[in-house]
């Protein structure tokens, strides 16, 4: 195995390194560095990146990586793990989704060495991190005031990516088309297979989402034979594949009373929420137009007409069975597991 070169740094087999990768200089004459944590096994194997905070207000992924690399039992026996807890450092510092130039970093790939700030960061991340990798896991959350159920989104028409998604081990796998200009788009163009992990809400930590993310990454590392198997056999999480999903939108503007939560089964025609006026008058109801499981939900109790409120995934399997399984997984990860080490 040769040295892995990231920027001016060379990381050798069996070595663990923290690297600050310069990505930009702001008008305040301060430098923005990309924090990179590299763990290399002594044996040859695949290289995988795990990235968080491509959107600067999506904090769950930062905590997932922070806990992951600090697990006492965390060992890479073969191959290389490249963990990047903050891709959009500026956004994290300023608690915003975007870059200083108001561009969405996840629509700026593959970027350019001479383009906008977002384009330059995208270009450096692609060149210095993704280009070395066979696989990648990009960690995201819902937007501000929106929560996502822990789920994997991936291009399931690719058999290798599908198997990776199954190995991650969350109940919901959503077949998701690749968005032009996204990190996933650029990575796939370079033959890197990427999973998108969506869980939780922007600017918030969610313990279920964090623990499911840590466990999922460990599952993938073991599937790729980069980590040894655990001492005890863990119960396998059943997965359910949704090839389609859709948003149910508000029928009126007003104050919302929700009747369902993330992970709930809903049936066609069921009232998901009531919308009322400040005086208590009923202005309308929000009704499920198709049966499925809620995988995304607006949290703020105020809504404008036409606003997306519930993201529902549609499955071929029994929706009630899926909802019950999601609840059991949450119980096992959050209530029965006492420490992060037990996730191993």
């Amino acid at each position: 195995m040769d040295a892995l070169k990231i920027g001016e740094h060379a990381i050798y087999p069996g070595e663990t390194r923290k690297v600050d990768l310069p990505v930009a200089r702001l008008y305040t004459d301060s430098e923005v560095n990309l924090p990179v944590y590299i763990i290399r096994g002594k044996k040859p194997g695949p290289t995988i990146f795990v990235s968080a905070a491509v959107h600067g207000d999506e904090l769950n992924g930062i905590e997932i990586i922070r806990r992951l690399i600090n697990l006492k039992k965390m060992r890479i026996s073969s191959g290389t793990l490249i963990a990047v807890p903050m891709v959009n450092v500026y956004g994290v510092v300023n608690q915003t989704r975007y870059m200083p130039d108001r561009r969405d970093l996840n629509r700026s790939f593959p970027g350019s060495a001479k383009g906008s700030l977002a384009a330059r960061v995208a270009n450096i991340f692609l060149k210095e991190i993704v280009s070395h990798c066979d696989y990648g896991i990009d960690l995201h959350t819902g937007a501000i005031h929106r929560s996502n159920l822990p789920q994997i989104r991936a291009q399931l028409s690719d058999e290798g990516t599908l198997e990776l998604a199954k190995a991650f081990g969350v109940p919901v796998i959503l077949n998701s088309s690749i968005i032009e200009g996204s990190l996933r788009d650029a990575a796939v163009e370079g033959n890197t297979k990427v999973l998108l992990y969506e869980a939780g809400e922007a600017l918030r930590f969610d313990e279920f989402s964090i623990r499911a993310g840590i466990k999922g990454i460990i599952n993938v590392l073991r599937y790729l034979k980069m980590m040894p198997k655990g001492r005890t056999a863990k119960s396998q999480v059943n997965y359910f594949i949704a090839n389609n999903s859709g948003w149910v939108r508000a029928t009126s503007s007003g104050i919302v009373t929700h009747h369902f939560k993330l992970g709930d089964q809903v049936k066609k025609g069921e009232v998901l929420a009531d919308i009322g006026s400040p005086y208590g008058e009923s202005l309308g109801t929000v009704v499920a137009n198709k049966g499925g499981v809620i995988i995304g939900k607006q949290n703020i109790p105020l809504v404008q007409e036409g606003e997306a409120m519930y993201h529902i995934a549609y499955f071929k399997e029994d929706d009630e069975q899926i909802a019950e399984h999601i609840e059991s997984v949450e119980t096992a990860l959050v209530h029965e597991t006492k420490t992060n080490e037990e996730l191993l």
Side-chain angles (χ1 to χ4, degrees), residues 67-120:
R67 292 191 198 181
L68 178 74
I69 62 179
N70 282 285
L71 289 172
K72 293 179 181 178
K73 297 180 181 179
M74 180 65 186
R75 298 288 185 273
I76 297 297
S77 56
S78 62
T80 301
L81 169 65
I82 304 175
V84 186
M86 300 180 195
V87 181
N88 181 358
V89 177
Y90 172 89
V92 175
V93 170
N94 291 279
Q95 300 178 21
T96 178
R97 178 183 180 90
Y98 302 106
M99 296 291 292
D101 53 9
R102 293 298 300 166
R103 284 180 167 86
D104 185 335
L105 181 57
N106 209 30
R107 298 295 181 270
S108 301
F109 287 89
S112 167
K114 296 183 178 180
S116 67
L117 179 57
R120 293 180 187 219

Side-chain angles (χ1 to χ4, degrees), residues 134-190:
D134 306 291
Y135 305 96
I137 303 173
D138 192 25
L139 308 174
H140 286 264
T141 74
I144 292 177
H145 305 312
R146 295 183 188 274
S147 293
N148 283 332
L149 184 79
Q151 60 196 262
I152 284 292
R153 298 181 185 181
Q155 189 179 25
L156 302 183
S157 58
D158 179 80
E159 187 63 29
T161 304
L162 174 59
E163 292 305 313
L164 208 66
K166 292 177 181 178
F168 193 94
V170 289
V172 175
I173 300 174
L174 182 61
N175 189 30
S176 174
S177 58
I178 296 176
I179 299 173
E180 185 178 356
S182 66
L183 168 57
R184 191 157 60 112
D185 179 32
V188 170
E189 283 293 318

Side-chain angles (χ1 to χ4, degrees), residues 27-341:
Y27 54 77
T28 56
D29 199 34
S30 56
E31 196 171 66
V32 177
N33 293 312
L34 199 67
V36 185
Y37 191 88
I38 307 104
I39 309 174
R40 300 203 70 192
K42 293 182 179 179
K43 300 176 183 178
T47 299
I48 183 171
F49 75 83
V50 180
S51 58
V54 170
H55 292 133
D57 59 356
E58 298 182 356
L59 306 182
N60 261 341
I62 299 174
E63 182 66 5
I64 289 171
I65 292 176
R66 190 180 73 89
R67 292 191 198 181
L68 178 74
I69 62 179
N70 282 285
L71 289 172
K72 293 179 181 178
K73 297 180 181 179
M74 180 65 186
R75 298 288 185 273
I76 297 297
S77 56
S78 62
T80 301
L81 169 65
I82 304 175
V84 186
M86 300 180 195
V87 181
N88 181 358
V89 177
Y90 172 89
V92 175
V93 170
N94 291 279
Q95 300 178 21
T96 178
R97 178 183 180 90
Y98 302 106
M99 296 291 292
D101 53 9
R102 293 298 300 166
R103 284 180 167 86
D104 185 335
L105 181 57
N106 209 30
R107 298 295 181 270
S108 301
F109 287 89
S112 167
K114 296 183 178 180
S116 67
L117 179 57
R120 293 180 187 219
V121 172
N123 176 259
I124 291 171
F125 186 73
L126 199 63
K127 177 183 174 182
E128 299 289 351
I129 307 297
V130 180
S131 65
H132 297 294
C133 297
D134 306 291
Y135 305 96
I137 303 173
D138 192 25
L139 308 174
H140 286 264
T141 74
I144 292 177
H145 305 312
R146 295 183 188 274
S147 293
N148 283 332
L149 184 79
Q151 60 196 262
I152 284 292
R153 298 181 185 181
Q155 189 179 25
L156 302 183
S157 58
D158 179 80
E159 187 63 29
T161 304
L162 174 59
E163 292 305 313
L164 208 66
K166 292 177 181 178
F168 193 94
V170 289
V172 175
I173 300 174
L174 182 61
N175 189 30
S176 174
S177 58
I178 296 176
I179 299 173
E180 185 178 356
S182 66
L183 168 57
R184 191 157 60 112
D185 179 32
V188 170
E189 283 293 318
N191 295 318
T192 303
K193 299 182 187 301
V194 177
L195 301 181
L196 185 68
Y197 177 62
E198 282 276 0
E201 179 185 1
L203 296 176
R204 300 287 184 273
F205 280 174
D206 176 75
E207 195 62 23
F208 177 29
S209 301
I210 292 166
R211 287 177 178 255
I214 296 169
K215 182 61 178 173
I217 295 168
I218 292 169
N219 286 343
V220 169
L221 293 174
R222 285 181 172 152
Y223 169 77
L224 295 174
K225 299 180 179 178
M226 297 174 64
M227 279 184 70
K229 294 181 179 179
R231 293 181 180 179
T232 58
K234 303 292 183 180
S235 58
Q236 186 176 2
V237 174
N238 294 327
Y239 59 84
F240 301 90
I241 296 175
N243 286 312
N244 295 291
S245 67
W247 281 93
V248 178
R249 297 181 178 274
T251 54
S252 306
S253 300
I255 299 171
V256 179
T257 301
H258 291 282
H259 300 311
F260 289 88
K261 63 182 186 301
L262 283 178
D264 281 350
Q265 170 206 13
V266 298
K267 298 177 182 178
K268 181 179 180 179
E270 270 192 305
V271 176
L272 305 179
D274 293 310
I275 302 175
S277 74
Y279 303 103
E281 302 164 321
S282 176
L283 299 176
T285 57
V286 180
V287 177
N289 51 22
K290 195 174 180 180
V293 173
I294 297 174
I295 62 169
K297 176 180 169 293
Q298 176 178 303
N299 295 327
I300 191 169
L302 303 172
V303 72
Q304 295 291 331
E305 184 175 356
E307 192 170 353
M309 292 183 65
Y310 296 92
H311 190 194
I312 300 177
Y314 310 128
F315 301 87
K316 293 181 180 179
E317 297 89 350
D318 177 30
D319 295 331
E320 186 174 358
Q321 176 191 0
I322 298 170
E324 289 175 356
H325 183 60
I326 290 169
E327 186 175 358
S328 70
V329 171
E330 181 175 8
T331 299
L333 284 174
V334 178
H335 302 295
E336 293 180 4
T337 302
K338 296 180 181 179
T339 68
N340 292 302
E341 294 292 338

Side-chain angles (χ1 to χ4, degrees), residues 8-38:
E8 297 179 352
H9 306 274
I11 304 94
Y12 293 89
E15 190 177 1
T16 297
R17 289 276 299 277
K18 297 176 184 177
V19 167
D20 286 327
L21 185 64
V23 293
R25 181 170 290 278
L26 302 179
Y27 54 77
T28 56
D29 199 34
S30 56
E31 196 171 66
V32 177
N33 293 312
L34 199 67
V36 185
Y37 191 88
I38 307 104

